[in-house]
Amino acid sequence: MTILVTGGAGFIGSHTVVQLLEAGHAVVVLDNLCNGAAEALRRIERLTGKSVPLVKGDVRDRKALDALFRAYHVEAVIHFAGLKAVGESVREPLAYYDTNVNGTLVLCQAMAAAGVRRLVFSSSATVYGPDAPVPYVETLPRGRTSNPYGTSKAMVEQLLTDLQLADPHWSVVLLRYFNPIGAHPSGVIGEDPQGLPNNLMPFIAQVAVGRLPELAIFGDDYSTTDGTCVRDYLHVMDLADGHVQALGRLETPGLHVYNLGTGCGVSVLDMVRSFERVTGQSIPYRVAPRREGDLAAFWADAAKAHRELGWQAFRGLDEMIADTWRWQSENPQGYRR
Ligand code: NAD
Ligand code: UFG
């Protein structure tokens, strides 16, 4: 199948492109490179020996999408392109609704016009909201959201649900990611956030490599075993495999929702200690106030993905850390070395 991967030059998209190529699919990437790197795609070409055409363009640009659908025989779309920094979304809500909601709307309009009705969407565990019991299971309703980023994901889920109801020819898979970390085991591609990292793992990795002086742990007074927040971290390669497996589900029209996580919770302090143990690097840290909007603890019930997609997260925490560290230590400045 030829797959359009929007946001394919970013963290999860680039790893998914590798696994799609390895599975025998052809890929075309659409990315405006606002948080992605063309270099990632060049490295993927060297790694796989396959070509990865990049259309540098914006997912909100209908003309660019129409031209892309004319130029390539796209059979399905995996839609990663979006903005993802929670704090920034509070300061710039319009940018988030424009890129994440309007971007998906324009993409779906272009897909419908091109007769392509198979879509996998990057959703998030954040749509369950603060009141959902853990582990999160897909039968729970979407909850209230606490920032424009989360709201934009919930709005897109609703948009796609309505679209699929109105036209049952659409096949839509909503993948609710938990916390992806890690990197390709080769060390040639990985997570390369622009500016100060928002997420825990790239922050720790940049402290370890000497780019940042210390980690701030946001709160140690939560009602968890050690007082720090607990998350379900999964290897980005497992997450990428989940997308390849989700493509099979697109054969059946309908709306399909899956959690992609390991089912295991890891605290911030567990992560710091595990990183030190696996890499031999010391991670200086201080405890800082809680970060607004953080939940104490959540993890996935991923049984449905196992049952229906045959998907499971196989890679453990030590492998996630070792692969992150290989990427970061071999590419201290990310793709800009
Ligand atoms: P990323 O920022 O590394 O990748 C997103 C890519 O989309 C980037 O390459 C960026 O340049 C591109 N992009 C952004 N706006 C665009 C636009 N208007 N037009 C074209 N391209 C555009 O982020 P990621 O971590 O790879 O996340 C991918 C998707 O998964 C996002 O939708 C994100 O919200 C979602 N998600 C991520 C996480 C996580 O923890 N990383 C968790 C849940 C959901
Ligand atoms: N944390 C720190 N210090 C940091 C960064 C993070 O202590 O410098 C803590 C946070 O407070 C939180 C934990 O590490 O307790 C994980 O934080 P991340 O920012 O890495 O991840 P989040 O769980 O907040 O959010 C991530 C993505 C969202 C996505 C969500 C789904 O950023 O896009 O996972 O699980 F919606």
Side-chain angles (χ1 to χ4, degrees), residues 1 10 42 47-48 69-70 73 77 137 150 161 166 177 186 201 212 216 240 242 267 273 294 298 300 309 315 322 324:
M1 242 195 308
R42 285 195 287 275
L47 192 66
T48 61
F69 283 115
R70 278 195 301 274
H73 180 63
V77 178
V137 61
T161 304
Y177 312 156
S186 64
M201 193 47 147
L212 296 168
S267 78
R273 292 194 185 114
D294 271 345
F298 61 84
L309 303 178
R315 297 158 177 94
T324 299

Side-chain angles (χ1 to χ4, degrees), residues 104-126:
T104 307
L105 179 73
V106 175
L107 174 67
C108 289
Q109 287 168 335
M111 286 175 67
V116 181
R117 293 189 181 79
R118 293 195 274 191
L119 177 69
V120 178
F121 174 65
S122 299
S123 190
S124 165
T126 199

Side-chain angles (χ1 to χ4, degrees), residues 125-137 140-146 293-298:
T126 199
V127 301
Y128 288 104
D131 305 318
V134 288
Y136 292 166
V137 61
L140 289 166
R142 279 193 296 273
R144 66 190 163 87
T145 46
S146 46
D294 271 345
L295 301 182
F298 61 84

Side-chain angles (χ1 to χ4, degrees), residues 7-13 30-37 57-60 79-84 99 122-125 149 153 177-180 191 199:
F11 172 45
I12 308 170
L30 174 78
D31 200 300
N32 68 1
L33 302 181
C34 71
N35 199 40
D58 198 294
V59 77
R60 293 163 295 180
H79 180 35
F80 293 103
L83 302 178
K84 62 163 185 174
T99 295
S122 299
S123 190
S124 165
Y149 168 76
K153 291 291 175 190
Y177 312 156
F178 283 69
N179 290 52
E191 186 166 13
N199 297 113

